[in-house]
Amino acid sequence: MEARKGMFLLKMTQKELSHLIFLSEVVLTGKKKSLMDETLQCLLYIVKSVEEVELPDTVVDQIESLTALIESDLRNENERIQEIRGHLDWSQKGRRKEQD
């Protein structure tokens, strides 16, 4: 750990990163959903702290594939929510007209 100009920095060693990778894999393969939020938060902190990273093409391909899947799922969910809201708005407008 190292302090610089009022900023607290933690340098993770390769051993610590390897341990985090191991824990992440255990959570993922063991489907430990109760620990998924914490695991994602740890990985997110690391990713946010890095400006640029060199990755092998196979890893980039996997990340792009997973990113496309996540984006597609989120879009589908958003469309469903908008559709549900549209139906709710329509039914509420119908009820208001009946009350008038």
Side-chain angles (χ1 to χ4, degrees), residues 22-53:
F22 166 75
L23 292 175
S24 300
E25 288 174 343
V26 168
V27 168
L28 186 62
T29 59
K31 300 185 191 303
K32 303 288 187 188
K33 293 186 187 252
S34 63
L35 298 172
M36 199 66 73
D37 287 346
E38 290 83 356
T39 304
L40 287 172
Q41 197 64 50
C42 287
L43 298 174
L44 184 60
Y45 285 140
I46 292 170
V47 171
K48 284 176 132 181
S49 71
V50 178
E51 290 184 27
E52 187 176 303
V53 63

mmCIF file of all heavy atoms in Angstrom, residues 22-53:
data_model
loop_
_atom_site.group_PDB
_atom_site.id
_atom_site.type_symbol
_atom_site.label_atom_id
_atom_site.label_comp_id
_atom_site.label_asym_id
_atom_site.label_seq_id
_atom_site.Cartn_x
_atom_site.Cartn_y
_atom_site.Cartn_z
ATOM 1 N N PHE A 22 -9.298 -16.637 -8.741
ATOM 2 C CA PHE A 22 -9.746 -17.933 -8.226
ATOM 3 C C PHE A 22 -11.121 -17.805 -7.561
ATOM 4 O O PHE A 22 -12.036 -18.584 -7.843
ATOM 5 C CB PHE A 22 -8.721 -18.481 -7.224
ATOM 6 C CG PHE A 22 -9.232 -19.631 -6.407
ATOM 7 C CD1 PHE A 22 -9.348 -20.897 -6.969
ATOM 8 C CD2 PHE A 22 -9.610 -19.449 -5.086
ATOM 9 C CE1 PHE A 22 -9.824 -21.967 -6.217
ATOM 10 C CE2 PHE A 22 -10.097 -20.514 -4.334
ATOM 11 C CZ PHE A 22 -10.204 -21.770 -4.899
ATOM 12 N N LEU A 23 -11.274 -16.805 -6.687
ATOM 13 C CA LEU A 23 -12.558 -16.614 -6.009
ATOM 14 C C LEU A 23 -13.677 -16.319 -7.003
ATOM 15 O O LEU A 23 -14.787 -16.847 -6.881
ATOM 16 C CB LEU A 23 -12.453 -15.481 -4.990
ATOM 17 C CG LEU A 23 -11.559 -15.733 -3.776
ATOM 18 C CD1 LEU A 23 -11.469 -14.475 -2.925
ATOM 19 C CD2 LEU A 23 -12.058 -16.911 -2.968
ATOM 20 N N SER A 24 -13.368 -15.502 -8.001
ATOM 21 C CA SER A 24 -14.362 -15.175 -9.030
ATOM 22 C C SER A 24 -14.800 -16.420 -9.783
ATOM 23 O O SER A 24 -15.991 -16.606 -10.056
ATOM 24 C CB SER A 24 -13.799 -14.153 -10.019
ATOM 25 O OG SER A 24 -13.447 -12.970 -9.352
ATOM 26 N N GLU A 25 -13.855 -17.263 -10.108
ATOM 27 C CA GLU A 25 -14.177 -18.501 -10.820
ATOM 28 C C GLU A 25 -15.006 -19.444 -9.951
ATOM 29 O O GLU A 25 -15.932 -20.090 -10.429
ATOM 30 C CB GLU A 25 -12.902 -19.183 -11.304
ATOM 31 C CG GLU A 25 -12.255 -18.436 -12.459
ATOM 32 C CD GLU A 25 -10.900 -18.993 -12.871
ATOM 33 O OE1 GLU A 25 -10.283 -19.759 -12.082
ATOM 34 O OE2 GLU A 25 -10.442 -18.653 -13.965
ATOM 35 N N VAL A 26 -14.707 -19.504 -8.666
ATOM 36 C CA VAL A 26 -15.492 -20.337 -7.746
ATOM 37 C C VAL A 26 -16.930 -19.828 -7.679
ATOM 38 O O VAL A 26 -17.881 -20.603 -7.750
ATOM 39 C CB VAL A 26 -14.856 -20.365 -6.332
ATOM 40 C CG1 VAL A 26 -15.806 -20.973 -5.309
ATOM 41 C CG2 VAL A 26 -13.537 -21.113 -6.359
ATOM 42 N N VAL A 27 -17.090 -18.515 -7.557
ATOM 43 C CA VAL A 27 -18.430 -17.923 -7.501
ATOM 44 C C VAL A 27 -19.177 -18.197 -8.800
ATOM 45 O O VAL A 27 -20.341 -18.600 -8.799
ATOM 46 C CB VAL A 27 -18.350 -16.395 -7.220
ATOM 47 C CG1 VAL A 27 -19.692 -15.727 -7.447
ATOM 48 C CG2 VAL A 27 -17.858 -16.153 -5.803
ATOM 49 N N LEU A 28 -18.494 -18.020 -9.925
ATOM 50 C CA LEU A 28 -19.135 -18.206 -11.228
ATOM 51 C C LEU A 28 -19.478 -19.674 -11.500
ATOM 52 O O LEU A 28 -20.622 -19.989 -11.831
ATOM 53 C CB LEU A 28 -18.228 -17.661 -12.331
ATOM 54 C CG LEU A 28 -18.795 -17.650 -13.738
ATOM 55 C CD1 LEU A 28 -20.029 -16.764 -13.812
ATOM 56 C CD2 LEU A 28 -17.752 -17.162 -14.716
ATOM 57 N N THR A 29 -18.525 -20.552 -11.338
ATOM 58 C CA THR A 29 -18.771 -21.962 -11.654
ATOM 59 C C THR A 29 -19.647 -22.632 -10.610
ATOM 60 O O THR A 29 -20.389 -23.555 -10.926
ATOM 61 C CB THR A 29 -17.454 -22.758 -11.802
ATOM 62 O OG1 THR A 29 -16.712 -22.662 -10.586
ATOM 63 C CG2 THR A 29 -16.628 -22.238 -12.958
ATOM 64 N N GLY A 30 -19.564 -22.165 -9.367
ATOM 65 C CA GLY A 30 -20.389 -22.734 -8.301
ATOM 66 C C GLY A 30 -21.763 -22.096 -8.230
ATOM 67 O O GLY A 30 -22.571 -22.458 -7.387
ATOM 68 N N LYS A 31 -22.001 -21.140 -9.136
ATOM 69 C CA LYS A 31 -23.279 -20.435 -9.188
ATOM 70 C C LYS A 31 -23.676 -19.898 -7.810
ATOM 71 O O LYS A 31 -24.799 -20.064 -7.355
ATOM 72 C CB LYS A 31 -24.359 -21.333 -9.772
ATOM 73 C CG LYS A 31 -24.049 -21.790 -11.189
ATOM 74 C CD LYS A 31 -25.172 -22.571 -11.784
ATOM 75 C CE LYS A 31 -24.826 -23.261 -13.063
ATOM 76 N NZ LYS A 31 -24.344 -22.570 -14.149
ATOM 77 N N LYS A 32 -22.721 -19.264 -7.166
ATOM 78 C CA LYS A 32 -22.944 -18.666 -5.851
ATOM 79 C C LYS A 32 -23.542 -17.273 -6.029
ATOM 80 O O LYS A 32 -22.870 -16.261 -5.873
ATOM 81 C CB LYS A 32 -21.633 -18.586 -5.059
ATOM 82 C CG LYS A 32 -20.928 -19.889 -4.872
ATOM 83 C CD LYS A 32 -21.669 -20.744 -3.889
ATOM 84 C CE LYS A 32 -20.884 -21.997 -3.572
ATOM 85 N NZ LYS A 32 -21.639 -22.921 -2.772
ATOM 86 N N LYS A 33 -24.808 -17.226 -6.392
ATOM 87 C CA LYS A 33 -25.471 -15.954 -6.700
ATOM 88 C C LYS A 33 -25.423 -14.981 -5.531
ATOM 89 O O LYS A 33 -25.400 -13.782 -5.732
ATOM 90 C CB LYS A 33 -26.897 -16.196 -7.144
ATOM 91 C CG LYS A 33 -26.973 -16.906 -8.480
ATOM 92 C CD LYS A 33 -28.396 -17.006 -8.974
ATOM 93 C CE LYS A 33 -28.419 -17.858 -10.215
ATOM 94 N NZ LYS A 33 -28.646 -17.164 -11.417
ATOM 95 N N SER A 34 -25.402 -15.499 -4.313
ATOM 96 C CA SER A 34 -25.378 -14.616 -3.148
ATOM 97 C C SER A 34 -24.083 -13.807 -3.073
ATOM 98 O O SER A 34 -24.038 -12.768 -2.422
ATOM 99 C CB SER A 34 -25.572 -15.414 -1.866
ATOM 100 O OG SER A 34 -24.498 -16.319 -1.690
ATOM 101 N N LEU A 35 -23.027 -14.268 -3.744
ATOM 102 C CA LEU A 35 -21.741 -13.567 -3.718
ATOM 103 C C LEU A 35 -21.429 -12.851 -5.032
ATOM 104 O O LEU A 35 -20.380 -12.231 -5.174
ATOM 105 C CB LEU A 35 -20.619 -14.557 -3.406
ATOM 106 C CG LEU A 35 -20.722 -15.246 -2.052
ATOM 107 C CD1 LEU A 35 -19.683 -16.345 -1.941
ATOM 108 C CD2 LEU A 35 -20.549 -14.234 -0.934
ATOM 109 N N MET A 36 -22.348 -12.927 -5.989
ATOM 110 C CA MET A 36 -22.100 -12.358 -7.309
ATOM 111 C C MET A 36 -21.919 -10.844 -7.257
ATOM 112 O O MET A 36 -21.028 -10.303 -7.911
ATOM 113 C CB MET A 36 -23.248 -12.728 -8.251
ATOM 114 C CG MET A 36 -22.901 -12.601 -9.705
ATOM 115 S SD MET A 36 -21.637 -13.747 -10.292
ATOM 116 C CE MET A 36 -22.518 -15.277 -10.327
ATOM 117 N N ASP A 37 -22.751 -10.143 -6.478
ATOM 118 C CA ASP A 37 -22.632 -8.681 -6.395
ATOM 119 C C ASP A 37 -21.259 -8.258 -5.888
ATOM 120 O O ASP A 37 -20.632 -7.353 -6.444
ATOM 121 C CB ASP A 37 -23.718 -8.094 -5.492
ATOM 122 C CG ASP A 37 -25.093 -8.108 -6.129
ATOM 123 O OD1 ASP A 37 -25.186 -8.318 -7.362
ATOM 124 O OD2 ASP A 37 -26.076 -7.917 -5.391
ATOM 125 N N GLU A 38 -20.788 -8.913 -4.835
ATOM 126 C CA GLU A 38 -19.486 -8.568 -4.258
ATOM 127 C C GLU A 38 -18.355 -8.862 -5.244
ATOM 128 O O GLU A 38 -17.407 -8.089 -5.375
ATOM 129 C CB GLU A 38 -19.257 -9.333 -2.952
ATOM 130 C CG GLU A 38 -20.133 -8.892 -1.809
ATOM 131 C CD GLU A 38 -21.526 -9.509 -1.807
ATOM 132 O OE1 GLU A 38 -21.885 -10.251 -2.753
ATOM 133 O OE2 GLU A 38 -22.267 -9.243 -0.838
ATOM 134 N N THR A 39 -18.470 -9.982 -5.939
ATOM 135 C CA THR A 39 -17.450 -10.366 -6.916
ATOM 136 C C THR A 39 -17.395 -9.345 -8.043
ATOM 137 O O THR A 39 -16.313 -8.880 -8.424
ATOM 138 C CB THR A 39 -17.752 -11.769 -7.484
ATOM 139 O OG1 THR A 39 -17.846 -12.688 -6.400
ATOM 140 C CG2 THR A 39 -16.673 -12.213 -8.445
ATOM 141 N N LEU A 40 -18.564 -8.992 -8.580
ATOM 142 C CA LEU A 40 -18.612 -8.003 -9.650
ATOM 143 C C LEU A 40 -18.073 -6.654 -9.187
ATOM 144 O O LEU A 40 -17.387 -5.964 -9.933
ATOM 145 C CB LEU A 40 -20.043 -7.845 -10.164
ATOM 146 C CG LEU A 40 -20.565 -8.998 -11.007
ATOM 147 C CD1 LEU A 40 -22.046 -8.816 -11.297
ATOM 148 C CD2 LEU A 40 -19.780 -9.124 -12.297
ATOM 149 N N GLN A 41 -18.380 -6.276 -7.959
ATOM 150 C CA GLN A 41 -17.902 -4.998 -7.438
ATOM 151 C C GLN A 41 -16.379 -4.979 -7.371
ATOM 152 O O GLN A 41 -15.752 -3.999 -7.767
ATOM 153 C CB GLN A 41 -18.510 -4.742 -6.054
ATOM 154 C CG GLN A 41 -18.409 -3.309 -5.605
ATOM 155 C CD GLN A 41 -19.189 -2.354 -6.472
ATOM 156 O OE1 GLN A 41 -20.354 -2.565 -6.754
ATOM 157 N NE2 GLN A 41 -18.561 -1.286 -6.904
ATOM 158 N N CYS A 42 -15.762 -6.059 -6.893
ATOM 159 C CA CYS A 42 -14.289 -6.138 -6.840
ATOM 160 C C CYS A 42 -13.691 -6.002 -8.238
ATOM 161 O O CYS A 42 -12.750 -5.227 -8.451
ATOM 162 C CB CYS A 42 -13.837 -7.471 -6.235
ATOM 163 S SG CYS A 42 -14.076 -7.619 -4.478
ATOM 164 N N LEU A 43 -14.239 -6.752 -9.193
ATOM 165 C CA LEU A 43 -13.724 -6.712 -10.556
ATOM 166 C C LEU A 43 -13.961 -5.348 -11.194
ATOM 167 O O LEU A 43 -13.116 -4.843 -11.935
ATOM 168 C CB LEU A 43 -14.346 -7.832 -11.381
ATOM 169 C CG LEU A 43 -14.027 -9.242 -10.875
ATOM 170 C CD1 LEU A 43 -14.805 -10.281 -11.672
ATOM 171 C CD2 LEU A 43 -12.542 -9.526 -10.908
ATOM 172 N N LEU A 44 -15.101 -4.747 -10.890
ATOM 173 C CA LEU A 44 -15.406 -3.422 -11.432
ATOM 174 C C LEU A 44 -14.410 -2.372 -10.922
ATOM 175 O O LEU A 44 -13.948 -1.527 -11.680
ATOM 176 C CB LEU A 44 -16.838 -3.027 -11.070
ATOM 177 C CG LEU A 44 -17.354 -1.713 -11.631
ATOM 178 C CD1 LEU A 44 -17.321 -1.719 -13.156
ATOM 179 C CD2 LEU A 44 -18.757 -1.450 -11.136
ATOM 180 N N TYR A 45 -14.061 -2.435 -9.636
ATOM 181 C CA TYR A 45 -13.076 -1.498 -9.095
ATOM 182 C C TYR A 45 -11.747 -1.617 -9.834
ATOM 183 O O TYR A 45 -11.114 -0.614 -10.165
ATOM 184 C CB TYR A 45 -12.836 -1.759 -7.596
ATOM 185 C CG TYR A 45 -13.944 -1.290 -6.697
ATOM 186 C CD1 TYR A 45 -14.341 -2.064 -5.619
ATOM 187 C CD2 TYR A 45 -14.587 -0.080 -6.904
ATOM 188 C CE1 TYR A 45 -15.357 -1.644 -4.767
ATOM 189 C CE2 TYR A 45 -15.602 0.348 -6.061
ATOM 190 C CZ TYR A 45 -15.978 -0.443 -4.993
ATOM 191 O OH TYR A 45 -16.968 -0.026 -4.164
ATOM 192 N N ILE A 46 -11.330 -2.836 -10.113
ATOM 193 C CA ILE A 46 -10.062 -3.047 -10.818
ATOM 194 C C ILE A 46 -10.147 -2.496 -12.232
ATOM 195 O O ILE A 46 -9.269 -1.761 -12.685
ATOM 196 C CB ILE A 46 -9.684 -4.540 -10.827
ATOM 197 C CG1 ILE A 46 -9.344 -4.992 -9.406
ATOM 198 C CG2 ILE A 46 -8.509 -4.798 -11.776
ATOM 199 C CD1 ILE A 46 -9.175 -6.485 -9.241
ATOM 200 N N VAL A 47 -11.220 -2.827 -12.938
ATOM 201 C CA VAL A 47 -11.371 -2.373 -14.323
ATOM 202 C C VAL A 47 -11.434 -0.848 -14.389
ATOM 203 O O VAL A 47 -10.824 -0.232 -15.266
ATOM 204 C CB VAL A 47 -12.629 -3.011 -14.964
ATOM 205 C CG1 VAL A 47 -12.923 -2.393 -16.311
ATOM 206 C CG2 VAL A 47 -12.438 -4.512 -15.094
ATOM 207 N N LYS A 48 -12.132 -0.225 -13.457
ATOM 208 C CA LYS A 48 -12.245 1.242 -13.450
ATOM 209 C C LYS A 48 -10.905 1.918 -13.187
ATOM 210 O O LYS A 48 -10.696 3.056 -13.596
ATOM 211 C CB LYS A 48 -13.250 1.690 -12.390
ATOM 212 C CG LYS A 48 -14.686 1.483 -12.786
ATOM 213 C CD LYS A 48 -15.583 1.866 -11.634
ATOM 214 C CE LYS A 48 -16.699 2.745 -12.068
ATOM 215 N NZ LYS A 48 -17.567 3.133 -10.944
ATOM 216 N N SER A 49 -10.015 1.233 -12.495
ATOM 217 C CA SER A 49 -8.737 1.844 -12.138
ATOM 218 C C SER A 49 -7.702 1.747 -13.254
ATOM 219 O O SER A 49 -6.654 2.369 -13.182
ATOM 220 C CB SER A 49 -8.186 1.195 -10.868
ATOM 221 O OG SER A 49 -7.763 -0.123 -11.137
ATOM 222 N N VAL A 50 -8.015 0.987 -14.297
ATOM 223 C CA VAL A 50 -7.068 0.782 -15.388
ATOM 224 C C VAL A 50 -7.509 1.596 -16.601
ATOM 225 O O VAL A 50 -8.658 1.526 -17.019
ATOM 226 C CB VAL A 50 -7.012 -0.728 -15.771
ATOM 227 C CG1 VAL A 50 -6.083 -0.951 -16.937
ATOM 228 C CG2 VAL A 50 -6.595 -1.554 -14.574
ATOM 229 N N GLU A 51 -6.587 2.384 -17.144
ATOM 230 C CA GLU A 51 -6.924 3.185 -18.317
ATOM 231 C C GLU A 51 -6.847 2.371 -19.600
ATOM 232 O O GLU A 51 -7.597 2.599 -20.538
ATOM 233 C CB GLU A 51 -6.008 4.398 -18.400
ATOM 234 C CG GLU A 51 -6.280 5.422 -17.305
ATOM 235 C CD GLU A 51 -5.429 6.662 -17.464
ATOM 236 O OE1 GLU A 51 -5.024 6.979 -18.593
ATOM 237 O OE2 GLU A 51 -5.179 7.311 -16.428
ATOM 238 N N GLU A 52 -5.916 1.458 -19.650
ATOM 239 C CA GLU A 52 -5.704 0.669 -20.855
ATOM 240 C C GLU A 52 -5.102 -0.668 -20.460
ATOM 241 O O GLU A 52 -4.348 -0.758 -19.499
ATOM 242 C CB GLU A 52 -4.738 1.413 -21.787
ATOM 243 C CG GLU A 52 -4.563 0.799 -23.125
ATOM 244 C CD GLU A 52 -3.663 1.649 -24.007
ATOM 245 O OE1 GLU A 52 -3.978 2.829 -24.220
ATOM 246 O OE2 GLU A 52 -2.632 1.110 -24.447
ATOM 247 N N VAL A 53 -5.477 -1.722 -21.193
ATOM 248 C CA VAL A 53 -4.942 -3.038 -20.888
ATOM 249 C C VAL A 53 -4.753 -3.800 -22.194
ATOM 250 O O VAL A 53 -5.548 -3.667 -23.120
ATOM 251 C CB VAL A 53 -5.879 -3.802 -19.912
ATOM 252 C CG1 VAL A 53 -7.226 -4.048 -20.512
ATOM 253 C CG2 VAL A 53 -5.245 -5.078 -19.433
#
